[in-house]
Amino acid sequence: MIGTPESTTRTPEAVLRSFIGRFEPKVQTRFRSVRAAVRKRFPTANELAYDYTSHVVIAYAPTDRGIDSIVSIAARSDGVRLYFNQGPKLSDPKKLLLGSGKQTRFIEVESAAQLAEPYVEALIRAANDLSSIPLPPKGKGMLTIRGAAANQQPRRKPAR
């Protein structure tokens, strides 16, 4: 989608809406409400939106690089997840964090209100504290469309 006449004439918000629009209404609604909650929590972070074949991700970063993100939200056909970029380094005595990657861990998000729960808020705060680059103290982050499914390479060879 990047570089096509359609993506260059539409606003980033319109492009993001088209990415999200391919999911069922329940997932769309949850993703939008979680996005609003994360945006409120990190108003100066840049939103870096990625469109993958099976999901859409918005990373919240102090820079224009996804690797610098503090948290990310992902819309998938099976729901919405909140990813923590420094997940393996976070203290998680309640064992809420899922995944086994070297870089990230995630929680399944049933509603935006879940982000305000004390334990989840503590994880978000700790992830922010671990960020190597602080968020700007003032201003407003920008939404940038960063990727399209056509540009993605498979991560693993298909099983035979």
Side-chain angles (χ1 to χ4, degrees):
M1 195 168 272
I2 298 215
T4 65
E6 177 182 87
S7 66
T8 57
T9 59
R10 293 175 28 189
T11 66
E13 281 294 335
V15 174
L16 180 60
R17 275 193 307 272
S18 73
F19 292 168
I20 297 167
R22 72 174 186 255
F23 296 99
E24 67 177 61
K26 183 171 77 171
V27 172
Q28 290 179 39
T29 300
R30 187 178 315 155
F31 186 80
R32 285 188 197 104
S33 66
V34 170
R35 179 185 179 211
V38 174
R39 172 45 77 212
K40 185 175 181 182
R41 174 70 173 80
F42 296 116
T44 64
N46 290 311
E47 290 182 301
L48 310 173
Y50 298 85
D51 179 32
Y52 296 98
T53 304
S54 63
H55 56 285
V56 172
V57 175
I58 300 178
Y60 291 84
T63 68
D64 63 351
R65 298 172 358 129
I67 193 70
D68 296 331
S69 68
I70 299 164
V71 297
S72 301
I73 55 174
R76 304 163 45 98
S77 62
D78 61 351
V80 175
R81 293 178 175 178
L82 177 69
Y83 284 85
F84 297 87
N85 201 29
Q86 298 293 326
K89 296 178 182 177
L90 296 174
S91 174
D92 183 25
K94 291 191 178 190
K95 306 292 184 212
L96 286 184
L97 294 174
L98 303 172
S100 59
K102 292 181 181 181
Q103 185 71 29
T104 64
R105 296 290 188 272
F106 67 91
I107 59 172
E108 299 284 350
V109 181
E110 299 303 320
S111 75
Q114 186 177 346
L115 277 59
E117 292 175 2
Y119 187 72
V120 175
E121 173 57 32
L123 287 171
I124 294 170
R125 193 171 36 260
N128 189 34
D129 291 345
L130 285 174
S131 178
S132 60
I133 302 170
L135 289 167
K138 56 185 170 179
K140 183 178 179 195
M142 294 179 48
L143 170 62
T144 304
I145 305 301
R146 299 292 294 193
N151 297 332
Q152 300 306 312
Q153 300 295 318
R155 293 182 67 161
R156 296 185 185 138
K157 290 182 180 179
R160 294 182 184 215

